[in-house]
C-alpha cells in the first residue's frame, strides 16, 4: 500500500495505470487502466481496457496523459521497447513515466 500511495502522490493530471489488475491503486483519482487481464472496473477508475502491451498499441491519441504509471510490471514485459514507445507516445510533453 505504501508504494501505491507514493505513486499516486507523484502522479499529476490525467493518469494511465498500466498493469493495474492485480492491485488497483485506490489512491488515484479517476485513472484509466490497461492490463492484459480482463477484470471488473475498480470504482475509482474511469475506464479499463484489455491490452497486450507487448504488441498492441495503446487505444489513445498521442499526448493523452500527464502521467503513466507502471507499478511492478516492467519485469514481466516481453517487449519493453514497444511498451516504452507507446508509453512515450501517449504522454503529454513534460509528462511523467513512473516505473517501479
Amino acid at each position: 500500500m505504501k508504494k501505491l500511495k507514493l505513486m499516486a502522490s507523484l502522479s499529476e493530471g490525467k493518469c494511465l495505470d498500466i498493469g493495474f489488475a492485480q492491485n488497483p491503486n485506490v489512491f488515484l483519482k479517476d485513472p484509466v487502466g490497461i492490463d492484459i487481464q480482463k477484470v471488473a472496473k475498480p470504482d475509482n477508475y474511469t475506464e479499463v481496457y484489455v491490452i497486450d502491451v507487448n504488441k498492441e498499441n495503446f487505444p489513445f491519441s498521442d499526448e493523452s496523459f500527464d502521467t503513466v504509471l507502471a507499478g511492478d510490471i516492467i519485469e514481466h514485459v516481453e517487449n519493453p521497447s514497444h511498451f516504452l514507445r507507446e508509453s512515450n507516445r501517449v504522454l503529454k510533453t513534460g509528462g511523467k513515466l513512473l516505473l517501479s
Side-chain angles (χ1 to χ4, degrees):
M1 282 297 222
K2 190 173 185 178
K3 188 186 297 184
L4 293 178
K5 195 170 191 175
L6 174 63
M7 290 187 89
S9 73
L10 295 172
S11 67
E12 297 175 353
K14 189 172 179 183
C15 180
L16 176 62
D17 189 5
I18 301 174
F20 74 95
Q22 293 298 315
N23 201 12
N25 192 326
V26 298
F27 301 105
L28 293 172
K29 183 177 180 194
D30 302 324
V32 174
I34 61 175
D35 202 288
I36 199 166
Q37 300 178 33
K38 183 176 182 175
V39 296
K41 183 182 82 59
D43 290 340
N44 63 314
Y45 283 62
T46 59
E47 301 172 88
V48 296
Y49 297 86
V50 177
I51 301 293
D52 183 343
V53 299
N54 292 296
K55 58 187 173 188
E56 294 181 74
N57 292 339
F58 300 173
F60 312 110
S61 302
D62 295 355
E63 298 196 31
S64 297
F65 295 93
D66 300 289
T67 305
V68 173
L69 299 177
D72 299 330
I73 69 149
I74 193 72
E75 65 273 19
H76 303 288
V77 175
E78 295 170 8
N79 188 351
S81 179
H82 178 75
F83 165 77
L84 291 170
R85 278 194 309 272
E86 279 298 289
S87 296
N88 185 59
R89 181 184 67 76
V90 300
L91 269 173
K92 293 179 181 177
T93 301
K96 296 177 186 177
L97 172 61
L98 301 175
L99 297 172
S100 69

